[in-house]
């Protein structure tokens, strides 16, 4: 029988009795995996750290779990976790050698796990209030596409000449034992800063954010960054992901035993640019949040409204050597 795509958003099935990846019935509702893998939680003592959900309720990192078939986990997910864990523990040079598609799969699985828990919490909250769970069609579209791409983990799927993501990896002079994690589930943007590296991934833009920032990326390629510089890169990506105004469309074509996925052109029939206009004041607000560790306020950041403060580039647009930045790491 040909492989079948599982689409949990068609029937909105987010119970703990089905595997999140395949939809198959589980033997027990205890058949789960951690959203944040155990090796990562143990390494950074995250288990009992608070994790705030969108409905303002608090969980801990170890509370976040995904229903997952033990067989699927053993065959497809554990080997991926082992490879990622080994590279992350070694650091930047090992992460750089990883197949970037595996980084995408790993980050996508983690972010989807958070989405799954957010949806479950939302369903519980609205049912408790006697309301139907409500979520925008655009968000469903994004989440559904992410889940489709995650099935490259366990199904014979081939992407036809495109990457669904933008990914940027940097060597960063981090403080010891730093754990810097960020996500934005509405735009499917993910960032992690640990060991001696920083990673940012836009999980569903077909490479658009990477192209949008190509000039910046070319200037800082292979250069070690101070943490405040990485967070500036982060802010730029998170803001541009917010400005990205397309919903990628994919055509799924089963051919024999293989499922081919083809991306529709992002421009479609619209003459509108792929990104809305960049507004320095809003970017400054994003940057203020990302620079919270260093105490910069919005008024300082956009003192010159046409040229917000940058630790990446000087007034001439040249890269600032990280060693010259006299700020805490």
């Amino acid at each position: 029988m040909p492989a079948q795509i599982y689409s949990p958003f068609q029937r909105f099935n987010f119970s703990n009795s089905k595997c999140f990846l395949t939809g198959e019935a589980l033997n027990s509702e205890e058949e789960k995996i951690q959203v944040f893998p155990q090796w990562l939680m143990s390494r950074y003592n995250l288990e009992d750290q608070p994790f705030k959900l969108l409905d303002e309720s608090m969980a801990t990192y170890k509370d976040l779990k995904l229903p997952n078939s033990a067989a699927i986990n053993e065959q497809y997910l554990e080997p991926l976790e082992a490879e990622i864990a080994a590279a992350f523990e070694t650091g930047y040079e090992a992460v750089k050698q990883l197949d970037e598609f595996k980084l995408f799969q790993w980050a996508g699985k983690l972010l989807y796990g958070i989405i799954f828990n957010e949806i479950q919490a939302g369903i519980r909250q609205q049912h408790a209030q006697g309301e139907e769970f409500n979520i925008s069609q655009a968000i469903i579209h994004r989440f559904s596409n992410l889940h489709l791409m995650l099935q490259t983990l366990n199904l014979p799927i081939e992407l036809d000449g495109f990457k669904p993501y933008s990914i940027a990896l940097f060597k960063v002079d981090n403080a010891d034992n730093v754990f810097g994690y960020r996500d934005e589930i509405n735009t499917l943007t993910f960032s992690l800063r640990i060991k001696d590296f920083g990673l940012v991934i836009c999980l569903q833009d077909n490479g658009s954010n990477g192209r949008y920032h190509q000039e910046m990326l070319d200037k800082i390629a292979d250069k070690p960054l101070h943490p405040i510089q990485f967070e500036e890169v982060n802010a730029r990506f998170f803001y541009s992901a917010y400005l990205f105004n397309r919903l990628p469309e994919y055509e799924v074509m089963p051919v024999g035993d293989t499922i081919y996925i083809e991306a529709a052109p992002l421009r479609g029939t619209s003459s509108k640019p792929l990104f809305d206009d960049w507004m320095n004041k809003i970017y400054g607000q994003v940057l203020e949040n990302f620079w919270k560790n260093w105490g910069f306020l919005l008024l300082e950041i956009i003192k010159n409204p046409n040229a917000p403060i940058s630790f990446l580039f000087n007034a001439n647009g040249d890269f600032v050597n990280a060693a010259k930045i006299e700020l805490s790491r």
Side-chain angles (χ1 to χ4, degrees):
M1 182 178 170
Q4 295 284 315
I5 294 286
Y6 170 49
S7 304
F9 288 89
Q10 281 184 355
R11 295 187 178 180
F12 232 75
N13 193 323
F14 292 89
S15 80
N16 290 322
S17 62
K18 289 181 182 289
C19 175
F20 86 95
L21 193 58
T22 66
E24 66 187 89
L26 300 178
N27 295 320
S28 156
E29 290 203 359
E30 297 307 308
E31 209 171 344
K32 294 180 179 179
I33 58 170
Q34 298 288 159
V35 169
F36 286 86
Q38 189 59 52
W39 61 266
L40 190 67
M41 291 196 295
S42 297
R43 175 68 176 78
Y44 294 99
N45 298 315
L46 301 176
E47 286 98 333
D48 297 314
Q49 294 296 316
F51 193 97
K52 191 175 186 179
L53 297 170
L54 292 178
D55 67 357
E56 301 296 317
S57 65
M58 297 300 289
T60 63
Y61 278 80
K62 71 180 178 188
D63 290 335
L64 302 177
K65 296 179 181 179
L66 263 177
N68 184 215
S69 151
I72 291 291
N73 184 40
E74 183 178 350
Q75 186 173 355
Y76 299 110
L77 302 187
E78 285 183 354
L80 176 66
E81 285 294 351
E83 188 175 353
I84 296 290
F88 279 22
E89 188 54 39
T90 303
Y92 172 76
E93 291 299 336
V95 177
K96 195 176 176 183
Q97 298 306 313
L98 284 172
D99 177 348
E100 69 175 29
F101 194 76
K102 290 185 177 180
L103 281 172
F104 162 72
Q105 290 174 317
W106 181 81
K109 177 179 69 70
L110 195 157
L111 196 55
Y112 185 80
I114 293 171
I115 289 166
F116 191 97
N117 279 264
E118 293 280 14
I119 288 173
Q120 283 191 329
I123 290 171
R124 283 195 302 270
Q125 183 188 47
Q126 291 195 262
H127 281 186
Q129 296 169 353
E131 300 171 359
E132 284 292 311
F133 182 63
N134 198 15
I135 186 170
S136 84
Q137 288 302 309
I139 295 291
I140 289 175
H141 185 93
R142 287 195 184 98
F143 292 174
S144 186
N145 279 345
L146 176 62
H147 188 270
L148 171 66
M149 295 302 165
L150 284 181
Q151 290 174 81
T152 56
L153 284 162
N154 64 301
L155 294 179
I157 290 175
E158 288 196 21
L159 306 185
D160 192 4
F162 76 97
K163 294 177 181 178
Y165 55 85
S166 296
I167 186 166
L169 172 70
F170 305 93
K171 188 174 179 65
V172 184
D173 183 24
N174 289 317
D176 293 341
N177 293 319
V178 71
F179 178 77
Y181 172 77
R182 293 180 186 273
D183 67 53
E184 172 47 70
I185 66 171
N186 289 322
T187 60
L188 296 179
T189 312
F190 167 100
S191 169
L192 185 66
R193 181 165 66 86
I194 58 173
K195 294 289 282 191
D196 63 343
F197 69 90
L199 174 69
V200 58
I201 309 178
C202 300
L203 288 153
Q204 198 182 116
D205 68 347
N206 292 3
S208 296
N209 283 279
R211 290 187 288 273
Y212 185 84
H213 292 295
Q214 194 61 59
E215 183 180 350
M216 172 190 74
L217 293 173
D218 288 344
K219 285 183 178 181
I220 63 179
D222 299 321
K223 292 182 169 66
L225 301 183
H226 185 284
I228 200 169
Q229 292 178 305
F230 174 73
E231 295 300 345
E232 183 175 333
V233 172
N234 235 355
R236 292 180 185 221
F237 268 94
F238 272 67
Y239 181 47
S240 69
Y242 167 76
L243 297 176
F244 182 60
N245 58 41
R246 295 299 200 275
L247 288 174
E249 299 275 359
Y250 303 108
E251 186 173 353
V252 178
M253 299 171 290
V255 180
D257 292 330
T258 304
I259 299 169
Y260 292 91
I261 298 179
E262 190 175 276
L266 284 172
R267 289 207 173 274
T269 57
S270 173
S271 59
K272 183 181 177 184
L274 298 184
F275 292 85
D276 293 336
D277 291 340
W278 184 282
M279 308 291 285
N280 279 335
K281 184 175 181 181
I282 300 174
Y283 166 63
Q285 291 169 343
V286 177
L287 201 50
E288 180 184 34
N289 182 264
F290 281 59
W291 279 355
K292 202 170 281 183
N293 287 353
W294 296 277
F296 286 93
L297 300 176
L298 178 61
L299 287 176
E300 298 172 82
I301 292 169
I302 58 168
K303 188 174 182 181
N304 178 347
N306 298 316
I309 290 178
S310 173
F311 283 94
L312 278 172
F313 306 113
N314 63 22
N316 297 321
D318 299 321
F319 176 73
V320 175
N321 189 314
K324 294 182 178 177
I325 297 176
E326 297 178 354
L327 291 171
S328 66
R329 293 182 298 143

